[in-house]
Amino acid sequence: MLINCVAYQEGKKLRDIPVEDISDYLDQPGCFVWVALRDATDAEMAQMKEEFSLHELAVEDAARGHQRPKIEEYGDCLFTVVHTVDLVEGDRLAGGELAIFAGKNYVLSVRRDSAKGFLGVRARAEREPHLLKMGSAFVMYALMDAVVDRYFPIVDMLESELETVEDRIFTHGAQRENVERLYQLKRKGLVLRHAVMPLMEAIGRLHGGRVPTLVTGTQDYFRDVHDHLIRIGGRLDSIRDTISTAIQVNLSMVSIDESEVNKRLAAWAAIFAVFTAFAGVWGMNFKYMPELEWKWAYPTALAIMIAVGVYMYRKFKKAGWL
């Protein structure tokens, strides 16, 4: 679906134009066209391919989706794929893709499976004509920067949830719930990590070493995006390590609780074993047992068993087993 198709000249908006007139504006000096599509159909992608003379492999990747974050060169065109990650329904993560074709005098963005648009990016660029005058390279930067900026609230949410779980680690009876929440956090962190790490590697090519001709003069902007990705990657590494440690501590707490239960069971088993031993000896059916004929034999036997049981209980209590 076509979101908008706008022609710019010297950093200023000329007008919204129909797709059929794109080639007319591409021939004008100092002019470039910015087209935005959402969930584009094959027919729309074929039309864009014809208007902008796009490489068929890049068009296929954009149309098919499910690509790894990357930046590829096709002649004088840069093809970029970034993953969008949005918070929906509170704390659920929804992933999508944004494919960007950037040439000397055009930018084409194709958004897939993402509810949040980039109209704010266009409005911001139009408010800064001195930057928009840089052309398609600045637009590509602005789109990538908007995607990366959306990662920060997600990292903040993950850190906040992790702190909440950490506060409950030593709460008795909450171990199972804690492990479930920690694994959910780990899975969310992996979703964001799969979006960040490949893009971090790819975007390094836009500000260091041999940079593509298209981005010459805008390397500082892409370095800023790269710095943001490094910060996010570091925080994700910290979150991952903390989650692993929290899981180990939580499992250790489960083992400690089980050990406490086993010690209590062992202590009570030892106490009742004394009663069993005495009762077993005195309950044997032998005719000649001296205590059988004694008047006080029964209460004495009970008193001895109770006394030994109380003594063992106090010993176990003092040792912390009961």
Side-chain angles (χ1 to χ4, degrees):
M1 180 177 70
L2 178 67
I3 303 299
N4 41 41
C5 179
V6 184
Y8 299 87
Q9 190 170 36
E10 298 299 331
K12 297 180 179 179
K13 179 178 178 180
L14 292 178
R15 63 184 61 85
D16 293 299
I17 62 174
V19 174
E20 295 77 12
D21 294 346
I22 289 177
S23 55
D24 296 334
Y25 284 88
L26 294 181
D27 295 333
Q28 298 183 19
C31 183
F32 78 93
V33 178
W34 181 356
V35 181
L37 299 177
R38 174 186 176 185
D39 297 324
T41 63
D42 292 340
E44 288 174 327
M45 292 304 301
Q47 188 176 21
M48 292 297 111
K49 176 185 175 183
E50 181 180 353
E51 292 290 338
F52 295 119
S53 300
L54 303 176
H55 196 283
E56 60 181 9
L57 293 179
V59 172
E60 181 182 351
D61 287 346
R64 185 173 55 188
H66 305 290
Q67 301 296 308
R68 187 174 184 266
K70 60 183 179 179
I71 298 176
E72 296 177 338
E73 293 185 64
Y74 291 95
D76 59 353
C77 172
L78 282 180
F79 174 62
T80 303
V81 176
V82 293
H83 284 187
T84 61
V85 183
D86 300 315
L87 281 173
V88 295
E89 299 177 1
D91 59 353
R92 188 173 68 85
L93 299 186
E97 288 183 19
L98 177 67
I100 306 170
F101 298 85
K104 181 180 179 181
N105 52 1
Y106 66 87
V107 175
L108 168 63
S109 63
V110 184
R111 175 164 53 100
R112 299 183 65 86
D113 302 324
S114 178
K116 293 185 178 180
F118 295 92
L119 293 177
V121 177
R122 187 182 293 270
R124 168 198 167 190
E126 292 177 353
R127 288 194 302 267
E128 301 173 326
H130 63 290
L131 296 176
L132 190 57
K133 190 176 180 180
M134 297 180 184
S136 56
F138 175 77
V139 174
M140 185 174 74
Y141 149 76
L143 290 170
M144 296 176 68
D145 185 55
V147 172
V148 173
D149 283 346
R150 293 180 184 179
Y151 295 159
F152 282 102
I154 299 174
V155 178
D156 294 337
M157 180 270 292
L158 294 177
E159 291 177 337
S160 178
E161 286 192 21
L162 182 56
E163 290 175 359
T164 302
V165 177
E166 284 185 303
D167 292 338
R168 290 172 48 85
I169 283 182
F170 299 103
T171 302
H172 183 71
Q175 286 78 16
R176 182 182 181 87
E177 181 183 353
N178 289 340
V179 170
E180 290 178 354
R181 293 182 64 182
L182 286 170
Y183 272 104
Q184 290 174 359
L185 284 175
K186 190 172 184 178
R187 195 163 60 192
K188 292 176 183 177
L190 285 176
V191 170
L192 189 57
R193 187 177 180 84
H194 290 160
V196 170
M197 303 311 291
L199 183 59
M200 185 192 307
E201 177 184 349
I203 204 172
R205 298 164 45 202
L206 300 184
H207 68 83
R210 187 197 70 82
V211 300
T213 305
L214 181 68
V215 300
T216 302
T218 57
Q219 295 98 313
D220 291 342
Y221 294 95
F222 291 103
R223 179 166 54 242
D224 181 66
V225 177
H226 189 246
D227 290 342
H228 289 173
L229 290 171
I230 291 176
R231 286 169 51 195
I232 294 172
R235 293 172 68 181
L236 288 176
D237 288 339
S238 178
I239 290 173
R240 182 183 59 180
D241 294 341
T242 304
I243 289 176
S244 297
T245 302
I247 290 175
Q248 293 299 321
V249 171
N250 201 75
L251 294 177
S252 298
M253 292 300 299
V254 172
S255 298
I256 291 173
D257 287 345
E258 291 179 349
S259 177
E260 291 294 327
V261 172
N262 290 335
K263 287 195 295 184
R264 290 188 179 92
L265 292 175
W268 284 111
I271 292 172
F272 282 102
V274 172
F275 285 84
T276 303
F278 279 113
V281 171
W282 283 321
M284 291 186 295
N285 293 322
F286 290 108
K287 183 177 180 180
Y288 300 103
M289 293 183 68
E291 62 270 23
L292 292 180
E293 302 297 330
W294 187 32
K295 180 179 179 180
W296 300 102
Y298 180 68
T300 301
L302 290 179
I304 292 174
M305 286 190 288
I306 293 173
V308 174
V310 170
Y311 172 78
M312 293 184 67
Y313 176 84
R314 294 184 63 182
K315 283 292 185 178
F316 283 125
K317 189 75 172 179
K318 186 176 180 180
W321 283 44
L322 291 173

